[in-house]
Amino acid sequence: MSVTHVCPWWLGYFLINPVRKFRHNPEKILGEYVKPGMKVVDFGSAMGWFSLPMAKMVGKSGKVYCFDIQEKMLSNLANRAKKAGVSEIIETRLISEGSEVYRDISEKIDFILLCAVAHEVPDQNELFLTLYSLLKQNGQLLFMEPAGHVSKQQFNNSVELAKKAGFMAIESPVVGKSHSILLQK
Ligand SMILES: C[S@@+](CC[C@H](N)C(=O)[O-])C[C@H]1O[C@@H](n2cnc3c(N)ncnc32)[C@H](O)[C@@H]1O
């Protein structure tokens, strides 16, 4: 296992700054993959830069499960979801040791977003195995990492772990200042 650094909760406010839209426009990045009625996961959601737009994309017949290890990130996200009128679509789930947060959605998920999270996770092998287990057959994972923090080589190493878990590479969408790949179960 490698030593990793977790984004402090207060940095969550920078991640939801509207200026981010120039680089990470959720509709442009996700619009092709996230459709009405889907069950999707925002893994390592923080305060929900992508989760709220995803809720609008899946609509009332869909669901967005937002996972994080920091309670403050998720409580802020839940407040924002309430204000945006999408709290019935968004469900926040705190990951803690020994918890069974994944059990009821195993093999039920259509799409997972993993943006700027993997480099903070000490055991990426386990991470990709977990994400694989959540997806339905042919379900997709959009995996992105910030090019500033994560080298191309590190990103490629992570992709190899994803493939080892069973994923196959579909395409490499172009996303501002990010390494990015669409993977499929
Ligand atoms: C840099 S932020 C990115 C947040 C969000 N995906 C975005 O693009 O705005 C990384 C987030 O991943 C969360 N995180 C770190 N390790 C995690 C883990 N093992 N499982 C789930 N979330 C984790 C952190 O708490 C933080 O909220």
Side-chain angles (χ1 to χ4, degrees):
M1 272 192 209
S2 57
V3 177
T4 55
H5 173 75
V6 173
C7 171
W9 68 268
W10 47 266
L11 261 184
Y13 290 105
F14 290 90
L15 294 170
I16 54 172
N17 186 317
V19 172
R20 188 176 173 191
K21 201 157 189 172
F22 291 108
R23 194 163 37 97
H24 283 168
N25 181 323
E27 287 77 16
K28 275 195 190 150
I29 295 172
L30 302 172
E32 201 180 319
Y33 313 119
V34 180
K35 302 292 178 194
M38 277 187 168
K39 287 192 170 85
V40 304
V41 163
D42 188 359
F43 196 91
S45 59
M47 295 181 184
W49 173 255
F50 288 104
S51 327
L52 267 61
M54 281 167 107
K56 299 215 164 112
M57 290 175 207
V58 300
K60 286 194 173 145
S61 57
K63 198 86 188 168
V64 183
Y65 298 95
C66 301
F67 289 91
D68 209 289
I69 52 169
Q70 298 190 73
E71 207 281 327
K72 280 188 172 160
M73 295 289 200
L74 294 179
S75 56
N76 183 293
L77 165 53
N79 285 336
R80 285 171 15 89
K82 206 170 173 185
K83 280 188 196 145
V86 292
S87 54
E88 282 173 18
I89 304 171
I90 288 188
E91 186 176 319
T92 60
R93 293 194 176 190
L94 183 66
I95 303 168
S96 55
E97 215 170 311
S99 72
E100 300 208 341
V101 279
Y102 308 117
R103 182 178 282 230
D104 64 318
I105 58 167
S106 176
E107 298 197 348
K108 292 198 169 69
I109 300 300
D110 297 289
F111 176 85
I112 300 175
L113 175 67
L114 181 70
C115 176
V117 181
H119 65 279
E120 296 188 9
V121 178
D123 189 345
Q124 290 191 24
N125 197 30
E126 191 187 320
L127 169 69
F128 287 110
L129 284 170
T130 300
L131 300 182
Y132 190 84
S133 74
L134 298 182
L135 285 170
K136 291 174 181 171
Q137 200 57 42
N138 300 324
Q140 293 185 324
L141 165 68
L142 181 61
F143 172 38
M144 302 195 289
E145 286 281 57
H149 290 334
V150 178
S151 71
K152 186 71 181 163
Q153 185 58 54
Q154 287 169 318
F155 180 72
N156 288 343
N157 292 345
S158 298
V159 172
E160 283 312 307
L161 290 178
K163 287 181 179 168
K164 211 174 120 198
F167 284 103
M168 62 177 177
I170 300 296
E171 61 186 23
S172 296
V174 176
V175 179
K177 293 192 177 155
S178 305
H179 307 298
S180 136
I181 188 163
L182 182 72
L183 300 159
Q184 185 167 307
K185 180 166 179 174

